[in-house]
Every structure is written in structure tokens, then in C-alpha cells.
Amino acid sequence: MPDDGPATSIDADAVFQGGGVKGIALAGALLGFAHHRGLSVKRWVNVAGTSAGSIIAAYLATGHGPEELEKVISSAPYERFEDFGPGGKWLGGALNLASHHGLARGEYFHRWFDELIDGRTFESVRRDDAVAGNTDSDAYRLRMIAADVTRRELLVLPGDLQHYRLPGADDPIDPDGLKIADAVRMSMSIPFFFQPITLVHGETGKESTIVDGGLLSNFPVWLFDVGHRAPVRPTFGFRLYGGRPGTPPKSFLERFDWPVRFGADLFHTAMDAWDIHFMSGTTRVRTCPVPSDDVATTEFDLSDAKKRLLVDGGREAATKFLDGFDLAEYRNTFGRQLEMP
């Protein structure tokens, strides 16, 4: 839809790929979608994401717009997210990795994000048409992906968490009462960098290790698709490309034996392999590719100039995508066309 055509503003759903600090570029893409002169998005109804994408989805779902997001994500205290503990990265990180299976604790990020969204729970993002008492993931406007590596299962949060309980608790997790920041922290538990989350599986009573959802699906563009009816609004995917992996720092891993380095390589392969395979024609037509320059996933010491480069690149990518996008060509995973009201 070219910029010089009639302006159209629509509601849409969105799915955001994970990518650590590279997610700054996604904020720029959202600005591009908000201000495109041809086809713009006035409201994101349902949103979902993995890892850094879950952060963006959660912030939008709790009532914030692209402009607020860009300011927050560009000024976030990234270096403080590296809470290695006493001794810093080399000593504190090594101790954390040995005892808690992650260099950084992830506690600072959790507190920061919880305060940023005013301690909201998933009850605040229930769908208006959700059946009372339904706590499956489809009852919420916000969803995110995590991975239970103990049971080898993909988890769609918050709904799948009702099958678990917190260590020491007797009752299962109530998705309505779960803090959104808790679920985001699970989704962004990058293996080896952030220590994983431990839950107890309700049926077996055994502990489960929960890590970054990117391990199984880093780009879950299929989350809002259904096959029994035509979609009433489009779902746009925002997929990062370029950049570098950085989890954990290669210089750190080189001090450890090969199994740790090999494990990190496996994680990065898993992050992309399935989602690339899943990129069918129906997925590509609704996916906005967003460049992440040469930024690494955990490059938390980015300069302001580099952050601005990511934001501007994302905005330009969104403009280019929308310039060539046609609602009439939209298809969901099941091949269904739009039937907008």
C-alpha cells in the first residue's frame, strides 16, 4: 500500500521475535507501523512474544504505546541487568553458573520491569470475550513462550502454568493472579546467561527447569491463528535478522570446557532452525523483517548512537514493509483470508 494512497488505520495483532538487546529495533518498527501514511495500526489488540519479544508485548498489553516503548527500551538500565553478584562477571558469574546454571541472577530485571508496569497481573489483560473461569492462554490478550527443558515441552504462558506450582507451594499457579513480570522473566531466561526458573510440575511432583522460549519457538507467529473461521484482523510478525549471538559471552565460555560452549551453540541453532523452516508463504506475507545491525544478543553496553541506529533501522524497515503490503493478499497459517468488519 503506497504512501500516496488513501490513509487506512486498522486494529491488528502482533507477535515479536526474541533477540535480547536487539529488541530495541522492534520499538522502531512499531513507530513505523503507527505513523505510516498509507496503512497504519491504531491499536494492537492481542500481542505475543518470546524472550525480548515478550517484554515488548507485555509493555504494549499493559496500556502503553510505541512512543513510550521507544523511550523506555532505549533508556533501560541494561548494564544493571547483568547482576552477577559479588565478584562481578568473572567471579560472581562463575559462581552463579556453577550453582544456579546462569551467569546473571535476573533479579534486577524482574524488579525493574514489574515496577515499570505497576505490578500488573494477567487478570488485567484478560480478553473481553473470555469465558468466566477460563484460564487457558487463549483467554488473555497477552501470551508468551517459554520452554520446560526437563519435560521437553513448549509452554504458552500464562495458561500452561496452571499445570505447575511454585516450589514449596501446595496450590497450582493461578494464571489470573500471576504477575506479568514473572512470566516475562521465564520467557527471557537465556540459557547460561540468566539463571533458569524452577517450578514443580503438578502431575508428577517433580521439579522442572524453565528457560527462554526461543529454545523451541523464537518467532511464534502462529499463536493467534485458528482454522475454523476467517481472521477479523491481521496478525503481523516482527522478525529480527542480522546481529550476532552473545549468550553467554564467548570470551567467558572459552574458559570452560567444550560441553558448555557446545551447549551455547546448540541453543542458538535451536532458536532459529524451526522458525526458519516454518516460514511459509503465508507467514512471509505478514512478517516485517527488522535489521539488528551487528549487535549481539547480550550486548548490554550499547552506545546511544547504536541504540538510535537500531530504532531508525526498525522504523525504516516497517515503512518499506507497509509500502508493499496489501491486505487483500493476507493469509493466516491455515490459508484463510481476512474478513474485517
Side-chain angles (χ1 to χ4, degrees):
M1 182 173 291
D3 277 358
D4 56 2
T8 303
S9 184
I10 62 171
D11 289 345
D13 298 337
V15 176
F16 302 99
Q17 185 193 32
V21 72
K22 294 182 287 189
I24 292 173
L26 299 178
L30 284 168
L31 288 172
F33 268 72
H35 300 293
H36 191 263
R37 289 176 295 169
L39 176 68
S40 63
V41 174
K42 64 181 178 181
R43 184 173 65 114
W44 297 103
V45 181
N46 300 305
V47 286
T50 299
S51 195
S54 71
I55 299 171
I56 291 173
Y59 194 69
L60 291 176
T62 50
H64 304 91
E67 285 79 11
E68 293 175 277
L69 173 66
E70 190 272 328
K71 291 178 182 177
V72 165
I73 205 167
S74 295
S75 61
Y78 291 106
E79 292 184 352
R80 300 191 70 178
F81 295 166
E82 299 179 304
D83 50 353
F84 303 117
K89 179 186 297 184
W90 302 113
L91 178 57
L95 291 174
N96 282 336
L97 187 62
S99 58
H100 300 294
H101 313 298
L103 297 173
R105 299 171 179 175
E107 294 172 357
Y108 183 88
F109 166 82
H110 181 269
R111 291 194 303 271
W112 172 79
F113 192 71
D114 189 44
E115 293 175 4
L116 189 68
I117 61 173
D118 299 320
R120 299 278 190 89
T121 67
F122 276 92
E123 186 175 21
S124 69
V125 293
R126 284 186 65 86
R127 292 167 53 100
D128 293 338
D129 58 352
V131 177
N134 179 16
T135 52
D136 292 335
S137 289
D138 60 7
Y140 302 91
R141 295 184 291 105
L142 170 64
R143 303 177 205 174
M144 53 197 76
I145 299 294
D148 180 341
V149 294
T150 304
R151 295 177 55 81
R152 303 176 186 178
E153 292 180 352
L154 179 147
L155 304 180
V156 180
L157 311 183
D160 285 345
L161 291 178
Q162 60 192 309
H163 304 300
Y164 296 81
R165 52 185 170 84
L166 296 173
D170 296 325
D171 298 323
I173 294 172
D174 172 20
D176 270 354
L178 180 72
K179 282 196 170 188
I180 291 173
D182 292 350
V184 172
R185 175 63 181 83
M186 293 179 200
S187 182
M188 57 152 293
S189 297
I190 303 172
F192 299 116
F193 192 86
F194 287 115
Q195 64 185 58
I197 303 299
T198 299
L199 298 176
V200 177
H201 189 258
E203 184 177 336
T204 66
K206 296 180 179 179
E207 289 190 344
S208 283
T209 299
I210 312 300
V211 302
D212 193 307
L215 185 68
L216 295 180
S217 183
N218 203 35
F219 185 50
V221 72
W222 42 267
L223 269 178
F224 301 120
D225 289 346
V226 294
H228 64 276
R229 59 172 172 77
V232 296
R233 58 184 165 269
T235 294
F236 290 109
F238 293 83
R239 190 173 192 276
L240 292 162
Y241 70 89
R244 296 175 285 117
T247 312
K250 188 174 181 181
S251 60
F252 191 97
L253 281 180
E254 287 171 348
R255 296 171 180 256
F256 287 82
D257 201 2
W258 75 267
V260 181
R261 288 184 281 113
F262 183 58
D265 290 339
L266 287 175
F267 170 67
H268 289 296
T269 301
M271 278 183 67
D272 292 323
W274 169 248
D275 289 318
I276 290 174
H277 178 74
F278 188 74
M279 285 287 282
S280 63
T282 57
T283 300
R284 289 189 181 92
V285 75
R286 55 181 173 156
T287 297
C288 176
V290 181
S292 51
D293 200 57
D294 64 344
V295 174
T297 302
T298 53
E299 193 174 342
F300 289 141
D301 57 349
L302 281 182
S303 66
D304 289 341
K306 203 87 174 223
K307 293 175 185 176
R308 176 46 52 188
L309 184 67
L310 286 173
V311 171
D312 290 345
R315 187 163 188 163
E316 291 170 8
T319 299
K320 181 179 179 180
F321 170 79
L322 289 173
D323 283 348
F325 180 76
D326 187 346
L327 283 171
E329 296 178 359
Y330 180 89
R331 301 289 188 280
N332 71 7
T333 303
F334 301 95
R336 285 187 169 273
Q337 294 178 276
L338 284 172
E339 289 186 5
M340 299 177 67

Coordinates of all heavy atoms in Angstrom, one line a residue, residues 137-169:
S137 N -4.5 -20.1 27.9 CA -3.8 -18.9 27.3 C -4.7 -18.1 26.4 O -4.5 -16.9 26.2 CB -2.5 -19.4 26.6 OG -1.6 -19.8 27.6
D138 N -5.6 -18.7 25.7 CA -6.5 -18.0 24.8 C -7.5 -17.1 25.4 O -8.2 -16.4 24.8 CB -7.2 -19.0 23.8 CG -8.1 -19.9 24.5 OD1 -8.3 -19.8 25.7 OD2 -8.7 -20.9 23.8
A139 N -7.5 -17.1 26.8 CA -8.4 -16.1 27.5 C -7.7 -14.8 27.7 O -8.3 -13.9 28.3 CB -8.8 -16.7 28.9
Y140 N -6.5 -14.6 27.2 CA -5.7 -13.4 27.5 C -5.2 -12.7 26.2 O -5.0 -13.4 25.2 CB -4.5 -13.7 28.4 CG -4.8 -14.4 29.7 CD1 -4.9 -15.8 29.8 CD2 -5.2 -13.7 30.8 CE1 -5.3 -16.4 31.0 CE2 -5.5 -14.3 32.0 CZ -5.6 -15.7 32.1 OH -6.0 -16.3 33.2
R141 N -5.2 -11.4 26.3 CA -4.7 -10.6 25.2 C -3.2 -10.7 25.0 O -2.6 -10.2 24.0 CB -5.1 -9.1 25.3 CG -6.6 -8.9 25.3 CD -6.9 -7.4 25.3 NE -6.6 -6.8 26.7 CZ -5.6 -6.1 26.9 NH1 -4.7 -5.8 26.0 NH2 -5.4 -5.6 28.1
L142 N -2.5 -11.2 26.1 CA -1.0 -11.3 26.1 C -0.6 -12.7 26.3 O -1.1 -13.4 27.2 CB -0.5 -10.4 27.3 CG 1.0 -10.6 27.6 CD1 1.9 -10.1 26.5 CD2 1.3 -9.8 28.9
R143 N 0.3 -13.2 25.4 CA 0.8 -14.5 25.5 C 2.3 -14.5 25.3 O 2.8 -13.6 24.6 CB 0.1 -15.5 24.5 CG -1.4 -15.5 24.7 CD -2.0 -16.4 23.6 NE -3.4 -16.0 23.4 CZ -4.1 -16.6 22.4 NH1 -3.7 -17.6 21.7 NH2 -5.4 -16.2 22.2
M144 N 3.0 -15.5 25.8 CA 4.4 -15.6 25.6 C 4.9 -17.0 25.7 O 4.1 -17.9 26.2 CB 5.2 -14.7 26.6 CG 4.9 -14.9 28.0 SD 5.5 -13.6 29.1 CE 4.2 -12.3 28.8
I145 N 6.1 -17.3 25.1 CA 6.6 -18.6 25.0 C 7.7 -18.9 26.0 O 8.6 -18.0 26.1 CB 7.1 -18.9 23.6 CG1 5.9 -18.8 22.6 CG2 7.7 -20.3 23.5 CD1 4.8 -19.8 22.7
A146 N 7.7 -20.0 26.6 CA 8.8 -20.5 27.5 C 9.0 -21.9 27.2 O 8.3 -22.6 26.4 CB 8.5 -20.2 29.0
A147 N 10.1 -22.5 27.7 CA 10.4 -23.9 27.5 C 10.7 -24.7 28.8 O 11.5 -24.2 29.6 CB 11.6 -24.1 26.5
D148 N 10.0 -25.8 28.9 CA 10.3 -26.7 30.1 C 11.3 -27.7 29.5 O 10.9 -28.7 28.8 CB 9.0 -27.4 30.5 CG 9.2 -28.3 31.7 OD1 10.4 -28.8 31.9 OD2 8.2 -28.7 32.4
V149 N 12.6 -27.5 29.8 CA 13.6 -28.4 29.3 C 13.6 -29.8 30.0 O 14.1 -30.7 29.5 CB 15.0 -27.8 29.3 CG1 15.0 -26.6 28.4 CG2 15.4 -27.4 30.7
T150 N 13.1 -29.8 31.2 CA 13.0 -31.1 31.9 C 12.0 -32.0 31.3 O 12.3 -33.2 31.1 CB 12.6 -30.9 33.4 OG1 13.5 -29.9 34.0 CG2 12.6 -32.2 34.2
R151 N 10.8 -31.5 30.9 CA 9.8 -32.3 30.3 C 9.8 -32.2 28.8 O 9.0 -32.8 28.1 CB 8.4 -31.9 30.8 CG 8.2 -32.2 32.3 CD 6.9 -31.7 32.8 NE 5.8 -32.2 32.0 CZ 5.2 -33.4 32.2 NH1 5.7 -34.2 33.2 NH2 4.2 -33.8 31.5
R152 N 10.7 -31.4 28.2 CA 10.9 -31.2 26.8 C 9.6 -30.7 26.2 O 9.2 -31.2 25.1 CB 11.4 -32.5 26.2 CG 12.7 -33.0 26.8 CD 13.1 -34.4 26.2 NE 14.2 -34.9 26.9 CZ 14.8 -36.1 26.6 NH1 14.3 -36.8 25.7 NH2 15.9 -36.5 27.3
E153 N 9.0 -29.7 26.7 CA 7.8 -29.1 26.3 C 7.8 -27.6 26.0 O 8.5 -26.9 26.8 CB 6.6 -29.4 27.3 CG 6.3 -30.9 27.4 CD 5.2 -31.2 28.4 OE1 4.8 -30.2 29.1 OE2 4.7 -32.3 28.5
L154 N 7.1 -27.2 25.0 CA 6.9 -25.8 24.8 C 5.7 -25.3 25.7 O 4.7 -26.0 25.7 CB 6.6 -25.5 23.3 CG 6.3 -24.1 22.9 CD1 6.9 -23.9 21.4 CD2 4.8 -23.8 22.9
L155 N 5.9 -24.2 26.3 CA 4.8 -23.6 27.2 C 4.3 -22.3 26.6 O 5.1 -21.5 26.2 CB 5.4 -23.4 28.6 CG 6.0 -24.6 29.3 CD1 6.5 -24.1 30.7 CD2 5.0 -25.7 29.5
V156 N 3.0 -22.2 26.5 CA 2.4 -20.9 26.2 C 1.9 -20.3 27.5 O 1.0 -20.9 28.1 CB 1.2 -21.1 25.2 CG1 0.6 -19.8 24.8 CG2 1.7 -21.8 23.9
L157 N 2.5 -19.2 27.8 CA 2.1 -18.6 29.1 C 1.1 -17.5 28.9 O 1.0 -16.9 27.8 CB 3.4 -17.9 29.7 CG 4.6 -18.8 29.8 CD1 5.8 -18.0 30.5 CD2 4.4 -20.1 30.5
P158 N 0.1 -17.3 29.8 CA 0.2 -17.9 31.2 C -0.5 -19.2 31.4 O -0.4 -19.9 32.4 CB -0.5 -16.8 32.0 CG -1.6 -16.3 31.1 CD -0.9 -16.3 29.7
G159 N -1.3 -19.6 30.4 CA -2.3 -20.7 30.6 C -1.6 -22.0 31.0 O -2.1 -22.7 31.9
D160 N -0.5 -22.4 30.4 CA 0.2 -23.6 30.7 C 0.8 -23.7 32.1 O 1.1 -24.8 32.6 CB 1.3 -23.9 29.7 CG 0.7 -24.4 28.4 OD1 -0.5 -24.7 28.3 OD2 1.5 -24.4 27.4
L161 N 0.9 -22.5 32.8 CA 1.4 -22.5 34.1 C 0.5 -23.1 35.2 O 0.9 -23.3 36.3 CB 1.9 -21.1 34.5 CG 3.1 -20.6 33.7 CD1 3.4 -19.2 34.1 CD2 4.3 -21.5 33.9
Q162 N -0.8 -23.2 34.8 CA -1.8 -23.8 35.8 C -1.5 -25.3 36.0 O -2.0 -25.9 37.0 CB -3.2 -23.6 35.3 CG -3.5 -24.2 34.0 CD -4.9 -23.8 33.5 OE1 -5.9 -23.8 34.2 NE2 -4.9 -23.3 32.2
H163 N -0.6 -25.9 35.3 CA -0.2 -27.2 35.5 C 1.1 -27.4 36.4 O 1.6 -28.4 36.5 CB 0.1 -27.9 34.1 CG -1.0 -27.8 33.2 ND1 -2.3 -28.4 33.4 CD2 -1.1 -27.2 31.9 CE1 -3.1 -28.2 32.4 NE2 -2.4 -27.5 31.5
Y164 N 1.5 -26.2 36.9 CA 2.7 -26.2 37.8 C 2.4 -25.5 39.1 O 1.3 -24.8 39.2 CB 3.8 -25.4 37.1 CG 4.3 -26.0 35.8 CD1 3.7 -25.9 34.6 CD2 5.5 -26.8 35.8 CE1 4.2 -26.4 33.4 CE2 6.0 -27.4 34.7 CZ 5.3 -27.2 33.5 OH 5.8 -27.7 32.3
R165 N 3.2 -25.6 40.0 CA 3.2 -24.9 41.3 C 4.6 -24.4 41.6 O 5.6 -24.9 41.1 CB 2.6 -25.7 42.4 CG 3.2 -27.0 42.7 CD 2.5 -27.8 43.7 NE 2.9 -29.2 43.8 CZ 4.0 -29.6 44.5 NH1 4.7 -28.7 45.2 NH2 4.3 -30.9 44.6
L166 N 4.6 -23.3 42.4 CA 5.9 -22.8 42.9 C 6.5 -23.8 43.9 O 5.8 -24.4 44.6 CB 5.7 -21.4 43.5 CG 5.2 -20.3 42.5 CD1 4.9 -19.1 43.3 CD2 6.2 -20.0 41.5
P167 N 7.8 -23.9 43.9 CA 8.5 -24.7 44.9 C 8.0 -24.3 46.3 O 8.0 -23.2 46.7 CB 10.0 -24.4 44.7 CG 10.1 -24.0 43.3 CD 8.8 -23.2 43.0
G168 N 7.6 -25.3 47.1 CA 7.1 -25.1 48.5 C 5.7 -24.7 48.6 O 5.1 -24.7 49.7
A169 N 5.0 -24.5 47.4 CA 3.5 -24.2 47.4 C 2.7 -25.5 47.3 O 3.2 -26.5 46.7 CB 3.2 -23.2 46.3

